[in-house]
């Protein structure tokens, strides 16, 4: 079951991708943890969510 967990973050080209825009995430994107739940998105999408006023985590709906 451990392999299944790894596949959640990125199963394309071996690199993790942003679940919102499907762009590959760089180390800078991976370094930031916007939510304690471990959900990760790229910087662009993070800014998007912040600018739109909806600062909720898409995964767990917490701020
Ligand atoms: Zn993104
Ligand atoms: Zn979250």
């Amino acid at each position: 079951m451990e392999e299944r967990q790894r596949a959640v973050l990125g199963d394309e080209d071996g690199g993790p991708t942003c679940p919102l825009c499907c762009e590959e995430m760089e180390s800078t994107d991976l370094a930031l943890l916007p939510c304690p739940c471990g959900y990760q998105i790229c910087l662009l999408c993070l800014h998007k969510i912040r600018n739109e006023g909806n600062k909720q985590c898409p995964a767990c709906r917490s701020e």
Side-chain angles (χ1 to χ4, degrees):
M1 290 300 179
E2 288 176 17
E3 284 186 19
R4 227 177 143 184
Q5 270 193 333
R6 295 184 81 195
V8 172
L9 266 184
D11 51 9
E12 292 177 13
D13 301 333
T17 54
C18 171
L20 295 185
C21 66
C22 294
E23 293 285 333
E24 266 194 50
M25 294 199 290
E26 297 174 10
S27 54
T28 46
D29 301 320
L30 294 172
L32 58 95
L33 278 173
C35 181
C37 77
Y39 188 73
Q40 286 193 310
I41 55 177
C42 72
L43 276 172
L44 276 179
C45 292
L46 183 62
H47 282 304
K48 226 179 192 180
I49 290 178
R50 281 180 176 168
N51 289 335
E52 284 172 359
N54 176 12
K55 296 172 183 173
Q56 291 179 337
C57 166
C60 67
R61 305 260 171 106
S62 73
E63 286 194 8

